[in-house]
Amino acid sequence: MKTPALNAALLSLCLGLAGQALAKPLVVCTEASPEGFDVAQYTTAVTFDAAAQTLFNRLVDFVSGSTELQPSLAERWTVSDDGLVYTFHLRRGVQFHRTAYFTPTREFNADDVLWSFQRQLDPKHPWHDKASVGFPYFESMAFSQLIRSVEKTDPYTVVFTLKRREAPFLHDLAMGFTSIYSAEYADQLLAAGKTAELNSKPVGTGPFVFQRYRKDAQIRYTAHPDYFLGAPPADTLVFVITPDNNVRLQKLRANECQVALYPKPDDVPSIEADPQLKVASIETLVTSYIALNTQHPFLKDARVRKAINLAFDRRTHVEQLFGPGNALEATNPFPPTVLGFNSDLRNPPYDPEQARALLQEAGVPTGTVLTLFTRNGGGPSNPNPRLSAELLQADLAKVGLVVDIRVMEWAEMLRRGKRGEHDLLASGWAGDNGDPDNFLTPLLGCEGAKSGENYARWCDPRFQTLIDQAREIIEPAARGKLYEQALTVYDEARPWLNIAHPKVFTAMRRNVEGFQPSPLTNNNFATTQVK
C-alpha cells in the first residue's frame, strides 16, 4: 500500500512529466534567412537576430528596450582619464554551450575575448583569413586603425588600448560584431581543418543553444540551461523563415507561429481587432533609403543624382508604403532623435520638369536603363519592396529613365550590392547603438565604400574628415555640430534617395508574454514565453 507521501511524490512527478509533454516551442515567423552564424562576418539585422541575440553575448549590452548600456560578460569597466585605455573585469562562472559537436572543458575567460578581437584585428592571426567575406563591420568602422592593442592582465581582466579617443567605443562594443566566441572551440576546429563550421555550427554563451538549420526554412534552438542570466522560459525556440509578410500573418492567425515580425502597417488595424492577437510598436532608429551607385556611368554626376531626387514623389511613396502616421519622411540619413541631426536640410521638391532639364544638361539619353536591386520580402525598413520599386519605376519613367527592377533574396542582394553590380539599391538600416557614427561611418564613409557596405560607393574627403573629428570628441554639443556640417556635404552630393524613418511593428498571439521591442530593432526572445 502506497503511503500518502509517496502518492504526493508520484503525483508531482506525473504533473511534471505532463507539463513537459504539453510544453510548446516558441515559434517566430521571421522575414529572411541569416547570412550565416559567424556574426563577425555580417551586418544585417536578420543575421544578428539569428545569432548575436540568441547564441552570443558581448562585454557590454543594451538594457532591454533602450540604448542604455549595462554589464554583460564584463561585470564592470574603467576608462583612463585620457580616454585611451579601457579595462574590463570579466564575469566568472559563465558557461559555453554544450552541443553534439563541442563539449567545453573550461568556463569563459579572457582568452575568449582576445581570440574574438584578435582574429579581426591581427592579419597574422591564424583565423584572420578564414572569414569568406572578411569582417565588414570591423573594417568599415576602421577598428583596425582605432585599436592599438587588446591584452589580458589576468584570466579575468582585459585591457583595450586605443590610438585615439573614440566617443562611441563602449556603445560599439555592444554591437553584434563584437560577440565573444569560444577560443577552445576555435582551436578544435582549426586543428581538425574544419574552420568553416564556425559559421554553420556556432557555439556561444547566449540564452539559446543552436540545434539545426534548414536553409530558407527553419532554425531550431533549445534553451541554454546554464545561461548566466537564467535559463529562458521557452524550452525551444524556432525561427520559421517566411519572407512574405502576408504569409507570416496567415501563420500567426493559424497559431503556426506565436510571433510574426514586421507585419505591413496597413494590416495592423485588423490584427489589433483580432481577439487572439496583439501588436507591439516602437519608434525605432531605422532609416529607409535607396543608394545611388556613384561609381557608375551618369550616376557619378551630382546633377543626375539631384535629378533623380527631383523626379521622386517622396510624399506619395511614403504614404503608400507605410500608411498615414506610420513613418516620418526622411531628410537625414538618421532620425531626428539622433545626435547631430541637421534640421535645416530639406529634400528637393517633386519637380519632374526640372529633373528632365537636369538630365538633358548632364547628357543622359532618354531611355537610359538603371537597374534597381530590391529584396523579395518585407522587413522593418520596407514592408513592401515590390510596391516601393514599382512606385519609383513609375516616377522615373516620367523623366525618361527606365528602371529595371531586380527582385532577389536578401542575402543575394547584399552580396551583389557589395560588389557594386547595381545602379540603384533599395536598403535600410537599423541603428545598432544609438550613435550617429553607426549610421555615417559604415553607410557613407570611405572605408565602407571600399568594403562594399556603403552601397552608394560615395567617398567625400570633406565628409570623412568631419565624421573622423566627431568620433574623437566626447562633448555632445561639439560632436553634434560636426555631424551637422558633415550632413550638409551629404545633402549637396545626394548619394541617396532619403525615404522614411518608420515605426516598427511586431504581431503576437495574446498569450505571448515577456517580449520587449527594441529601438535598435533587435529581437531577443530570452525572456519571451507562450503562457
Side-chain angles (χ1 to χ4, degrees), residues 298-318:
F298 298 123
L299 293 173
K300 294 179 179 179
D301 192 328
R303 292 172 298 177
V304 176
R305 300 196 298 271
K306 184 176 180 182
I308 292 173
N309 270 273
L310 286 162
F312 182 43
D313 187 355
R314 186 176 283 100
R315 182 160 298 173
T316 299
H317 196 103
V318 171

Side-chain angles (χ1 to χ4, degrees), residues 7 20 22 38 44 79 124 151 155 177 223 243 256-257 285 307 319 340 349 351 388 430 479 494 496-497 515 526:
N7 282 330
Q20 291 176 29
L22 294 173
D38 180 6
T44 63
V79 184
K124 297 179 181 179
E151 301 170 303
F177 79 101
E256 294 176 25
C257 57
L285 300 178
E319 288 180 356
D351 192 336
S388 176
R479 285 190 80 207
R494 294 281 162 190
W496 285 4
L497 287 176
F515 176 75

Side-chain angles (χ1 to χ4, degrees), residues 151-433:
E151 301 170 303
K152 70 173 184 179
T153 57
D154 64 52
Y156 290 93
T157 307
V158 175
V159 178
F160 287 74
T161 302
L162 308 186
K163 298 176 183 178
R164 62 172 188 272
R165 290 165 70 97
E166 181 84 350
F169 183 64
L170 277 173
H171 280 75
D172 290 344
L173 293 185
M175 293 166 57
F177 79 101
T178 68
S179 294
I180 305 302
Y181 295 71
S182 165
E184 183 184 18
Y185 179 50
D187 289 344
Q188 173 182 302
L189 293 177
L190 187 65
K194 298 180 177 180
T195 55
E197 291 189 3
L198 192 74
N199 198 28
S200 60
K201 294 181 177 179
V203 169
T205 58
F208 292 96
V209 181
F210 179 80
Q211 292 296 302
R212 62 181 179 271
Y213 169 46
R214 285 195 293 121
K215 185 172 172 54
D216 299 330
Q218 188 182 100
I219 314 169
R220 294 187 70 89
Y221 311 85
T222 57
H224 182 189
D226 300 316
Y227 186 45
F228 68 91
L229 294 177
D235 289 338
T236 304
L237 174 66
V238 182
F239 283 2
V240 176
I241 298 156
T242 317
D244 190 308
N245 36 23
N246 292 319
V247 177
R248 292 200 294 274
L249 182 54
Q250 291 169 10
K251 287 179 177 290
L252 181 70
R253 292 190 190 280
N255 201 22
E256 294 176 25
C257 57
Q258 290 76 52
V259 178
L261 300 181
Y262 316 126
K264 291 187 293 186
D266 54 6
D267 284 333
V268 168
S270 69
I271 297 170
E272 292 177 328
D274 189 322
Q276 300 300 318
L277 307 180
K278 60 183 177 180
V279 178
S281 66
I282 192 169
E283 300 280 352
T284 58
L285 300 178
V286 170
T287 194
S288 174
Y289 67 94
I290 295 173
L292 313 182
N293 190 334
T294 61
Q295 294 183 358
H296 274 204
F298 298 123
L299 293 173
K300 294 179 179 179
D301 192 328
R303 292 172 298 177
V304 176
R305 300 196 298 271
K306 184 176 180 182
I308 292 173
N309 270 273
L310 286 162
F312 182 43
D313 187 355
R314 186 176 283 100
R315 182 160 298 173
T316 299
H317 196 103
V318 171
E319 288 180 356
Q320 292 202 29
L321 197 59
F322 299 100
N326 289 326
L328 177 68
E329 189 176 309
T331 60
N332 283 228
F334 48 68
T337 52
V338 176
L339 176 73
F341 181 87
N342 190 329
S343 57
D344 293 332
L345 301 190
R346 298 289 184 273
N347 290 312
Y350 176 54
D351 192 336
E353 186 175 341
Q354 188 182 353
R356 280 191 292 269
L358 269 177
L359 291 170
Q360 185 176 6
E361 180 185 310
V364 180
T366 299
T368 293
V369 177
L370 299 175
T371 58
L372 169 62
F373 286 11
T374 193
R375 63 189 293 182
N376 63 341
S381 62
N382 190 336
N384 195 335
R386 168 64 76 173
L387 172 63
S388 176
E390 290 173 350
L391 289 170
L392 179 62
Q393 183 183 55
D395 286 343
L396 296 192
K398 295 174 185 176
V399 298
L401 297 176
V402 177
V403 175
D404 178 12
I405 299 172
R406 308 279 182 89
V407 180
M408 56 194 76
E409 189 266 335
W410 176 241
E412 175 66 13
M413 185 189 80
L414 296 184
R415 281 194 294 271
R416 296 180 62 181
K418 287 173 185 176
R419 295 197 294 261
E421 296 178 17
H422 60 288
D423 292 312
L424 315 176
L425 187 144
S427 190
W429 187 262
D432 295 278
N433 62 13

Side-chain angles (χ1 to χ4, degrees), residues 121 135-148 162-164 166 169 172 177 437 441-442 446-448 451 464 468 471:
L121 179 64
F135 305 105
Y137 247 136
F138 201 90
E139 294 158 7
S140 64
M141 295 178 70
F143 259 44
S144 58
Q145 285 80 54
L146 170 66
I147 299 174
R148 185 179 301 280
L162 308 186
K163 298 176 183 178
R164 62 172 188 272
E166 181 84 350
F169 183 64
D172 290 344
F177 79 101
D437 185 71
T441 290
C446 293
E447 288 297 325
S451 70
Q464 188 67 49
D468 285 346
R471 280 203 304 268

